Amino acid sequence: MKIMIAGDYQEMSSIAANIIAEEIKKKPDLVLGLATGSTPLGTYRELVRMYKEGKLDFSRVITFNLDEYYGLSPTDPRSYHYYMYTNFFNHVNIKPENIHIPDGMAKDVEEECRRYDEQIQKAGGIDLQLLGIGVNGHIGFNEPGDELLTNTHLTNLAPDTIKANARFFESIDEVPRKAITVGLGTIMKARKIILLASGREKAKIMAELLDEDAVSTKVPASFLLLHRDVTVLMDKEAANIYLKKKDGCCGTVGV
Ligand code: GLP
């Protein structure tokens, strides 16, 4: 596991975008796994900038998003569909047929999950997976529990997640209680993974994750310790507790 600590959010976002850009340059038909939430917004902004400056071409890139709220339509401004189009897809030359996001309105959810896994498999699996992390250690919407599922599935959101994501809704009651998420198996099969963490709310979970030499279904992100190509990229705020514990002080590990 490679750990990188950026000075601030902007630097973290530029580094993430540069890693993604390099992978696209090496493999123009890269299969890119994408995340939502506040954390990757700066990365998407940087990728859009590179595209607009003529430095990056998404015409052959294939994307698979990690998750979608169950019961929200693609046109709902709070859906991850809407987020992805407004923050990224509408501003680059990706082909609409190369974009994949689970359908939160699917009548037959099991079939939708099966279809999604099939599409990922047909594309050859994920080459590069971008991840954020929940305050409770979730990745995608794989929530802490007694077991973690490997394939795409409908999941109940944890109370911590509902609380954390309430900021995107008018009230906590409006946060969907369920979501469709790719499973941990799909994430772990990605050839390369970048985990982003930003801000002080993530400092506790990042210290927990990076200090432990154990995996647990109670911290789904801990399974990333078993992956052979993970870059953990944090800003200073998210790395704060980890650095204090590590150095007994508050030093900074540069990138
Ligand atoms: C959300 C998403 C995750 C995301 C995480 C952190 O609920 N399902 O994919 O990584 O929670 O979100 P944020 O970046 O807003 O803190």
Side-chain angles (χ1 to χ4, degrees):
M1 190 173 258
K2 186 170 167 191
I3 300 172
M4 294 174 93
I5 299 166
D8 58 19
Y9 178 75
Q10 178 52 39
E11 192 187 10
M12 180 196 81
S13 304
S14 309
I15 295 168
N18 278 322
I19 298 174
I20 296 169
E22 284 313 306
E23 293 301 312
I24 295 174
K25 282 176 194 160
K26 274 194 255 166
K27 185 175 186 279
D29 57 348
L30 192 79
V31 181
L32 188 54
L34 295 175
T36 48
S38 311
T39 312
L41 281 173
T43 306
Y44 293 137
R45 248 193 323 266
E46 281 299 300
L47 289 172
V48 168
R49 188 184 57 76
M50 288 179 197
Y51 165 70
K52 291 205 162 138
E53 288 173 359
K55 294 176 183 155
L56 206 50
D57 175 19
F58 289 91
S59 63
R60 294 176 60 201
V61 171
I62 299 170
T63 62
F64 285 93
N65 265 79
L66 285 167
D67 43 23
E68 177 59 286
Y69 288 114
Y70 182 59
L72 293 193
S73 85
T75 53
D76 189 314
R78 301 157 311 176
S79 72
Y80 286 160
H81 271 79
Y82 191 90
Y83 168 107
M84 286 308 302
Y85 280 87
T86 50
N87 292 305
F88 187 43
F89 297 144
N90 286 346
H91 312 290
V92 295
N93 66 333
I94 187 160
K95 293 206 176 91
E97 62 270 30
N98 287 347
I99 296 170
H100 305 86
I101 308 175
D103 178 6
M105 297 296 280
K107 288 211 175 70
D108 186 340
V109 184
E110 272 184 31
E111 178 52 31
E112 171 61 8
C113 294
R114 235 188 336 265
R115 191 188 63 88
Y116 204 65
D117 284 334
E118 247 171 49
Q119 284 179 323
I120 295 173
Q121 224 171 33
K122 242 170 89 182
I126 309 287
D127 290 312
L128 174 60
Q129 177 67 59
L130 183 65
L131 291 177
I133 184 167
V135 283
N136 61 1
H138 77 213
I139 44 179
F141 271 134
N142 292 277
E143 300 282 25
D146 292 335
E147 60 176 16
L148 294 167
L149 300 183
T150 55
N151 290 326
T152 302
H153 57 280
L154 184 68
T155 186
N156 292 315
L157 299 187
D160 283 343
T161 302
I162 294 169
K163 211 168 122 200
N165 289 5
R167 68 189 193 280
F168 298 110
F169 294 81
E170 277 201 7
S171 79
I172 194 160
D173 299 331
E174 287 190 23
V175 184
R177 268 36 184 178
K178 287 177 190 286
I180 298 177
T181 181
V182 301
L184 215 64
T186 305
I187 295 173
M188 290 298 286
K189 277 184 241 156
R191 289 170 196 100
K192 189 179 181 67
I193 297 176
I194 308 172
L195 174 70
L196 295 181
S198 158
R200 59 187 62 239
E201 325 69 75
K202 300 289 166 67
K204 190 164 164 276
I205 188 66
M206 292 314 289
E208 205 180 311
L209 176 69
L210 299 172
D211 280 346
E212 290 289 330
D213 187 23
V215 299
S216 161
T217 58
K218 306 278 184 285
V219 183
S222 66
F223 281 78
L224 298 175
L225 294 168
L226 304 176
H227 193 281
R228 57 172 80 224
D229 190 355
V230 179
T231 300
V232 175
L233 175 52
M234 307 176 269
D235 63 15
K236 261 196 210 158
E237 288 193 338
N240 190 31
I241 301 177
Y242 165 69
L243 286 173
K244 276 185 190 151
K245 280 193 183 168
K246 192 170 168 280
D247 302 337
C249 158
C250 35
T252 305
V253 177
V255 289

